[in-house]
Amino acid sequence: MTNKRVFHLHLVSDATGETLNMVARAACAQYEDVRPIEHVYALVRGPKQLERVLGEIENAPGIVMFTMVNEQLRDRLQRRCAELHTPCISVLDPAVLALGQYLGKESSHKPGSQHTMDAEYFSRIEALNYTMAHDDGQSAGDLDEADIILLGVSRTSKTPTCIYLANRGIKAANIPIVPNIPLPPDLETATRPLIVGLTTSPDRLVQIRKNRLLSLHENTDTDYVAPDVVADEIAFARRLFARKGWPVIDVTRRSIEETAAAVLNLYNERQRASIP
């Protein structure tokens, strides 16, 4: 097994750095044999803050990626990186420039504009509150207020997927499927939400459940991880999904992000189909 090449990656942002971090990690993920040592600098909005960042870059040379709108700070960062022979990349410039050319407008040059506390921000908070209040089958008789409802047997990524969706402003509830346990009555009458079933392979689910029990220092000699019982649970859930006509997503080899993306595709298709 070859050793991974380690390098320093400096991420400089005048906002929270969330966008920059995601772009940088997506880019690094394309190279299997490297491991970045991340140096994250958020809310860099003044000369003194930038000078401290430049000192760190000088002490640990590597690649610099940034999202900054202040022209003076950008110029200072780029000039110093050129002197240090350090690559310096503005990750948003190509997209912002292309939009400006297409729209015929100048950008606002406001740091952290995407994090403004506007109606969209409060919509995400509302969605997150709803999702947390409707986790794992909790319901106050208001499931019809959800945008999306996920169902599946235990450990099919229902909760983390719902949290991910909530951060996109989607009110998401999740309900566990347990044989011989009735579903919430208001699920039967809900017409507004998209209802999606999550499934996985029995072998994969057994391993996930065993790991969960081990992390909790609990006994693994239980029906919860018995292969035949687990297979029956999944078969029961699949029959339910088929009987109700609910779309099904297999999460066996999907990350949370990939599962959420598949759910959102179904949701958006449904929204488009409802437009006259």
Side-chain angles (χ1 to χ4, degrees):
M1 184 176 180
T2 59
N3 293 326
K4 290 189 175 183
R5 177 185 175 183
V6 178
F7 69 99
H8 293 281
L9 177 61
H10 298 272
L11 305 175
V12 188
S13 175
D14 54 14
T16 64
E18 179 182 351
T19 301
L20 177 59
N21 292 350
M22 288 191 295
V23 172
R25 288 174 184 173
C28 290
Q30 299 301 311
Y31 299 90
E32 297 179 354
D33 296 328
V34 301
R35 181 175 68 84
I37 299 175
E38 292 185 0
H39 304 261
V40 180
Y41 316 96
L43 302 174
V44 179
R45 297 179 178 177
K48 289 184 178 179
Q49 294 167 308
L50 181 58
E51 290 305 316
R52 286 195 291 270
V53 171
L54 293 174
E56 294 289 335
I57 295 171
E58 186 172 356
N59 290 332
I63 295 178
V64 177
M65 301 177 74
F66 71 91
T67 52
M68 301 175 73
V69 297
N70 183 286
E71 291 295 339
Q72 289 76 23
L73 297 180
R74 287 166 57 99
D75 289 346
R76 171 61 178 149
L77 175 63
Q78 290 174 311
R79 285 199 311 271
R80 185 59 181 140
C81 285
E83 292 169 359
L84 296 171
H85 304 289
T86 295
C88 187
I89 306 160
S90 174
V91 301
L92 289 183
D93 274 3
V96 173
L97 289 173
L99 278 172
Q101 290 172 355
Y102 180 79
L103 298 172
K105 291 180 175 292
E106 287 284 335
S107 65
S108 65
H109 299 291
K110 293 180 180 178
S113 296
Q114 72 271 36
H115 301 295
T116 303
M117 294 178 65
D118 54 10
E120 184 180 350
Y121 172 84
F122 289 106
S123 176
R124 290 200 304 272
I125 296 300
E126 182 183 0
L128 188 57
N129 288 335
Y130 181 91
T131 298
M132 295 299 291
H134 294 77
D135 181 41
D136 201 32
Q138 299 179 77
S139 173
D142 59 349
L143 283 177
D144 203 41
E145 295 181 14
D147 297 310
I148 292 171
I149 299 175
L150 301 183
L151 292 94
V153 300
S154 174
R155 312 312 296 178
T156 47
S157 306
K158 298 184 300 297
T159 294
T161 303
C162 282
I163 297 298
Y164 186 95
L165 292 170
N167 278 298
R168 301 286 295 272
I170 300 292
K171 290 183 178 179
N174 75 82
I175 298 169
I177 293 180
V178 181
N180 303 317
I181 300 296
L183 297 172
D186 53 332
L187 177 66
E188 302 293 337
T189 58
T191 57
R192 180 179 179 274
L194 169 69
I195 302 174
V196 179
L198 302 183
T199 190
T200 187
S201 71
D203 291 344
R204 176 65 172 158
L205 187 56
V206 167
Q207 189 59 53
I208 291 173
R209 288 184 175 183
K210 282 184 177 179
N211 291 340
R212 175 62 174 168
L213 292 177
L214 289 171
S215 70
L216 297 174
H217 304 290
E218 294 187 6
N219 182 20
T220 57
D221 185 16
T222 169
D223 284 348
Y224 184 65
V225 294
D228 56 337
V229 175
V230 171
D232 287 344
E233 282 187 58
I234 293 175
F236 175 86
R238 281 188 173 276
R239 288 194 297 271
L240 174 65
F241 301 153
R243 187 167 71 250
K244 297 291 187 180
W246 294 331
V248 180
I249 295 174
D250 191 327
V251 303
T252 303
R253 299 186 182 279
R254 294 181 190 260
S255 66
I256 300 303
E257 294 84 354
E258 290 170 331
T259 300
V263 173
L264 283 173
N265 282 342
L266 292 173
Y267 179 75
N268 291 331
E269 288 172 9
R270 188 175 188 255
Q271 294 294 93
R272 287 193 295 269
S274 67
I275 298 175

